[in-house]
Each structure stands twice: as C-alpha cells, then as structure tokens.
Amino acid sequence: MAADAANVHTAIGLQLRGSPTVKRARELLEDGAIGRLLSANIYSSTAGFGLEVPDPYVYLEDPQNFANLITIQGAHALDLAFNLLGEPVASNSMVSRQYPSIALGEQKEIHRRTTYDHLLFQGATVKGVSVCIEVAGGRTPEAPFRFEIVGEKGTLNLQGGAARAGGVLPAMPILASNREMLT
C-alpha cells in the first residue's frame, strides 16, 4: 500500500520456496511421511551481524536501508516455517542486540549497533503446529541452519547453510521415523 501511494515498485524475494530441498520436504509432509505434525524448531545463524562488520556489510547496520538480520534472514526463516507448516494464528517474538557495540569497516571504528542481531519467535500455526525459531548473528559457522519438524510418526530434518547465508539449504532433507533413516 505504501509503495502504491509512493508510486514505486517493490519486490520480496523469498526464494527458499523454490529450493529443491524445500519442495521435497513439502512433498514428504503432504504425503504424511511423519504423520500429524506436532512441533517444529528452526535455528538459523550467520557469522554476519556480529562484533565486527566488514566494509561491504556496513550498509546493513543502517535501519533506514531496511536490510538487516531480521528483515533478511529472519524473514526467510519465518516464511520457510509458514510455507511448510501453515500460517501463524498465534505468535510472540522478541528481538535483541547481543552485540550492542560493533567495530565497523576496515578501520574498526566502534559504534553502537542500531539494528537487531537476534530474533526469537514462538507461535502456533493453523495446522496446530507449535513453532520455535531462533535467528542469530555473530555465530560460528559449524551448523548455521537446522530445521526439525516433529510428527506423530517421526521427524523431518533440514540442515545446511553457509557461514554468511544461514538460510541456504544445499542438502536434501533427512527423514527419520523411530530412529530409522527413511530417505
């Protein structure tokens, strides 16, 4: 609406919906591979948005650019959850600054962070699935993305990612039922 009033075009790129991994996960869920869905937990992290901000990423620290951990990585994590589990009907969220003082650019000038580097979300979907999501900046890159969906008959796990792009899913989903691998 605001874009229409200002006579400007906008776009939102939620490309995870088109990921082969996400498409396969959706098929498995729709086919009832893990039974009725009960709960889900997402952890999405990145080395970015931590204590030090390299020159190419300094623009992400300006709230007026509307490009930050919450609007980028947080939006991808939330959209992925709702796309696979159903739209939210109840929710609560909290944002915080775990790194309130940051070193900007090559000179490492100390500044106060004005954007958020951490998001916690909890809610329930129209399908009755309880959802918990943590999106965290400034984390080590060992396991940047984990998404576990628990059903009555087993679990579906999606994992992967890259150090500075936690929302990327390069691997196929892992499906387990009673501790057996099904895929």
Side-chain angles (χ1 to χ4, degrees):
M1 295 205 168
D4 289 338
N7 198 26
V8 296
H9 296 283
T10 61
I12 298 173
L14 298 169
Q15 65 269 24
L16 284 179
R17 291 175 179 230
S19 158
T21 300
V22 173
K23 287 180 178 180
R24 180 65 179 134
R26 186 178 306 108
E27 289 172 8
L28 291 167
L29 295 174
E30 289 172 355
D31 291 345
I34 61 171
R36 184 175 65 87
L37 303 181
L38 303 173
S39 65
N41 188 355
I42 293 177
Y43 174 75
S44 181
S45 69
T46 178
F49 302 100
L51 179 61
E52 294 185 6
V53 181
D55 280 328
Y57 303 107
V58 169
Y59 79 98
L60 297 171
E61 296 298 329
D62 184 348
Q64 292 184 22
N65 290 329
F66 204 64
N68 55 60
L69 181 85
I70 307 304
T71 62
I72 298 171
Q73 196 156 335
H76 283 296
L78 291 165
D79 180 67
L80 176 61
F82 304 147
N83 184 259
L84 291 179
L85 307 171
E87 294 298 318
V89 292
S91 67
N92 187 21
S93 61
M94 180 180 79
V95 292
S96 63
R97 290 181 189 93
Q98 295 191 339
Y99 299 95
S101 294
I102 54 176
L104 287 181
E106 191 175 314
Q107 302 301 318
K108 299 191 186 309
E109 293 180 22
I110 304 300
H111 288 267
R112 183 145 189 81
R113 174 165 272 145
T114 56
T115 61
Y116 297 105
D117 55 27
H118 192 255
L119 166 69
L120 293 173
F121 172 92
Q122 64 182 15
T125 73
V126 294
K127 296 179 181 179
V129 183
S130 297
V131 180
C132 180
I133 300 172
E134 179 181 11
V135 180
R139 301 296 172 93
T140 57
E142 286 87 23
F145 184 85
R146 296 184 306 271
F147 185 178
E148 179 183 58
I149 304 170
V150 178
E152 287 181 318
K153 298 178 184 175
T155 61
L156 177 66
N157 288 286
L158 293 88
Q159 39 193 322
R164 285 203 173 270
V168 178
L169 300 172
M172 287 303 290
I174 299 166
L175 179 65
S177 176
N178 297 325
R179 300 186 190 136
E180 294 177 33
M181 300 308 288
L182 299 178
T183 59

